[in-house]
Amino acid sequence: MRVAGPETTVNVCKYSSRRASGPSGAEFVATAYTRGTPQVPPTKEDFEQDTPNTNDTIQARVKDVKLLASGGTETKYRIDLELPEGSTYEMGDILKIIPPNIQQVGEDFQQRMVNVRNSMAISGGTVLFSEADMCQPTTLEQLESLIQCCTNDHDRATFQAAMKSFCGAPNHLRPSVLQLLKAYPSIIIEIHQLSAILPELLPRSYFISSSPLTSSTCSLIFSLAIRKTRGLSDEDGDTSIGMASHYLSQLRAGDSVTCSVKALNTRFRPPTELSTPLIMICDGIGIAPFVGFVMHRAELLRRRPALWDIIAPALLFVGCHSLDDSVYVSELGSSGVVDVRYSLSRGAGNEFKGDVQDRVWADGQDVMKLWNIRAKVYICGSQSACIETEDVLRKLVMGGMARSETKTDGKFQACSDDFKARCVFEII
């Protein structure tokens, strides 16, 4: 086990950008760890930038939309897009897509316009509908604005009673402004007031899950986002469909998609040398970039069979609810370039039961074999999975620690710094 010496310095660079890829309004958090002398903190351009030879906005053509899984807890799709001539991407890039407001939202919005006090409500609403995001969870500030426009004392009391619980409610459980307008007709709001409180329609970001070596297409893997909102009272909960994922799932071959290729984190790329071992850890749809990583390795070996003599081992830890929720995993395992390790939180059969970080801990000896020969580690998944996986890996690197043990001494910090210098995270 190699431990970083006291002369080693580690620069921790973080950049958070608004991610509008789901109704929860979550954020992409890119955390890059580099070793060397202290540097000036990175700007936004250091993390999110155009891939070379790629225009800011392009028109991609849909080649195919395929249903991958529907028997588990989530419905997953793959969409293949043909980029225009001259547009390229690299492994680890993301595709940004600005979806239109879906038809279901549009129907609800137009019906609600009858309660908007303005002679230009319909024409103004049409413009607002094309530019505003109707599906984001309501913020506390928006709720306060709606209370001011409520004309019914009982409904106003319901809103005011919900203020305290609303502050502590998880983001994904909050209803959207449009859902509240639909549930409470007593809210009479003018078009300029509605325009002021609705957020701008922003791009949704998706990891590219293909290799530029395999074909001219760019593939995305995504799950159909459906969330149950809690509402302001127990009886008025609703269901919200993710605007971007619903839009993508409804596309058909020949349709055009407005998008742009971006590098969210330029360190989140596979090693250029196949002799570098890989440890990839993901949960849920976090597998998307690793599908491209594995396909890329397989294509390099297909083109140059002599590389089989130098290729280093690769481990892929996949956390999902059940095998029905797994995507592409059997194909990746059969490629011969990666050893896939499942971790099922709800599955049955002989597969490992637990979260992905539990499987990493259980297979700690295999992880350390690769770590000790300078493996590079990539983690992509939910925030909780990334944090807990980092903790597990640091304890494995430290050696001799129990899973529940905590340490803050200098030796553990040195191991932590060594770990950070060789890992890249993406929280989705």
Side-chain angles (χ1 to χ4, degrees):
M1 179 179 66
R2 194 181 69 81
V3 179
E7 74 283 358
T8 300
T9 59
V10 177
N11 307 320
V12 180
C13 308
K14 296 186 178 181
Y15 162 66
S16 299
S17 64
R18 185 70 176 174
R19 173 191 183 246
S21 58
S24 62
E27 291 185 344
F28 255 129
V29 181
T31 306
Y33 298 95
T34 58
R35 175 178 298 160
T37 55
Q39 299 174 352
V40 176
T43 63
K44 175 178 178 178
E45 287 71 24
D46 293 321
F47 283 86
E48 184 178 302
Q49 55 187 312
D50 293 339
T51 295
N53 303 321
T54 303
N55 295 326
D56 186 46
T57 301
I58 58 177
Q59 294 296 319
R61 186 177 65 86
V62 177
K63 292 191 68 175
D64 189 26
V65 179
K66 182 179 180 181
L67 177 65
L68 295 178
S70 60
T73 57
E74 293 182 331
T75 302
K76 296 184 175 69
Y77 294 86
R78 187 196 74 207
I79 183 170
D80 298 328
L81 301 170
E82 185 174 353
L83 302 181
E85 185 176 356
S87 297
T88 60
Y89 67 91
E90 296 182 48
M91 308 305 303
D93 282 352
I94 60 172
L95 200 68
K96 286 198 163 190
I97 297 173
I98 300 181
N101 280 297
I102 59 179
Q103 182 178 356
Q104 176 183 333
V105 173
E107 292 172 353
D108 291 343
F109 181 72
Q110 292 299 336
Q111 290 175 7
R112 193 59 183 83
M113 283 295 97
V114 298
N115 282 347
V116 176
R117 296 182 302 184
N118 194 299
S119 59
M120 299 296 289
I122 300 302
S123 59
T126 301
V127 174
L128 181 61
F129 177 71
S130 66
E131 297 179 352
D133 196 326
M134 303 290 174
C135 293
Q136 292 297 313
T138 302
T139 65
L140 185 60
E141 292 76 13
Q142 290 171 330
L143 188 63
E144 291 173 341
S145 297
L146 294 179
I147 291 176
Q148 300 299 319
C149 299
C150 188
T151 59
N152 181 280
D153 292 340
H154 179 270
D155 289 347
R156 189 182 301 109
T158 300
F159 272 71
Q160 291 172 338
M163 291 286 286
K164 185 175 182 180
S165 61
F166 203 80
C167 294
N171 220 26
H172 67 277
L173 292 179
R174 298 180 181 181
S176 66
V177 169
L178 183 57
Q179 286 176 316
L180 291 178
L181 290 175
K182 182 181 176 182
Y184 295 92
S186 60
I187 301 174
I188 308 299
I189 187 169
E190 295 187 6
I191 192 69
H192 72 274
Q193 293 173 308
L194 188 59
S195 176
I197 67 173
L198 287 175
E200 179 186 359
L201 190 60
L202 297 176
R204 271 63 170 167
S205 301
Y206 293 89
F207 270 114
I208 295 175
S209 53
S210 56
S211 166
L213 295 180
T214 57
S215 68
S216 61
T217 61
C218 166
S219 298
L220 308 177
I221 294 176
F222 63 95
S223 58
L224 186 61
I226 300 176
R227 65 186 179 100
K228 298 286 187 180
T229 60
R230 193 159 61 192
L232 300 184
S233 59
D234 294 336
E235 68 274 5
D236 65 353
D238 202 352
T239 299
S240 178
I241 299 176
M243 189 161 56
S245 60
H246 182 84
Y247 163 68
L248 291 175
S249 69
Q250 298 299 308
L251 292 172
R252 295 296 178 263
D255 290 344
S256 181
V257 177
T258 302
C259 56
S260 60
V261 178
K262 299 286 183 179
L264 181 71
N265 181 348
T266 55
R267 292 191 66 238
F268 199 82
R269 303 198 190 283
T272 56
E273 300 295 333
L274 290 181
S275 56
T276 302
L278 293 181
I279 301 173
M280 297 167 284
I281 306 167
C282 63
D283 71 335
I285 208 66
I287 194 175
F290 299 141
V291 172
F293 283 24
V294 175
M295 291 174 62
H296 198 74
R297 283 167 67 90
E299 180 61 18
L300 286 173
L301 290 165
R302 188 191 69 81
R303 295 185 179 190
R304 298 177 59 191
L307 292 175
W308 280 105
D309 295 333
I310 65 167
I311 187 172
L315 280 175
L316 172 60
F317 291 91
V318 180
C320 50
H321 291 307
S322 66
L323 289 179
D324 290 333
D325 286 320
S326 63
V327 176
Y328 268 14
V329 177
S330 59
E331 291 88 343
L332 297 180
S334 63
S335 67
V337 300
V338 65
D339 181 359
V340 180
R341 310 284 178 93
Y342 286 107
S343 182
L344 309 181
S345 60
R346 303 178 187 173
N350 297 324
E351 295 296 340
F352 184 90
K353 308 297 190 303
D355 295 324
V356 67
Q357 61 269 19
D358 300 325
R359 183 64 189 264
V360 173
W361 178 261
D363 293 355
Q365 287 188 344
D366 294 334
V367 171
M368 289 309 301
K369 284 180 183 178
L370 298 192
W371 177 268
N372 290 332
I373 57 174
R374 304 298 298 166
K376 188 165 184 180
V377 182
Y378 301 85
I379 307 172
C380 186
S382 62
Q383 184 174 21
S384 60
C386 286
I387 292 173
E388 293 183 32
T389 300
E390 176 184 1
D391 184 61
V392 164
L393 287 171
R394 283 190 296 180
K395 289 174 180 177
L396 288 174
V397 171
M398 184 67 184
M401 288 187 66
R403 176 78 184 270
S404 59
E405 187 178 356
T406 59
K407 281 191 177 183
T408 57
D409 58 28
K411 186 178 180 182
F412 181 70
Q413 185 59 46
C415 283
S416 297
D417 291 346
D418 185 43
F419 160 72
K420 290 178 180 179
R422 292 161 62 182
C423 299
V424 186
F425 300 87
E426 289 295 351
I427 301 175
I428 61 174

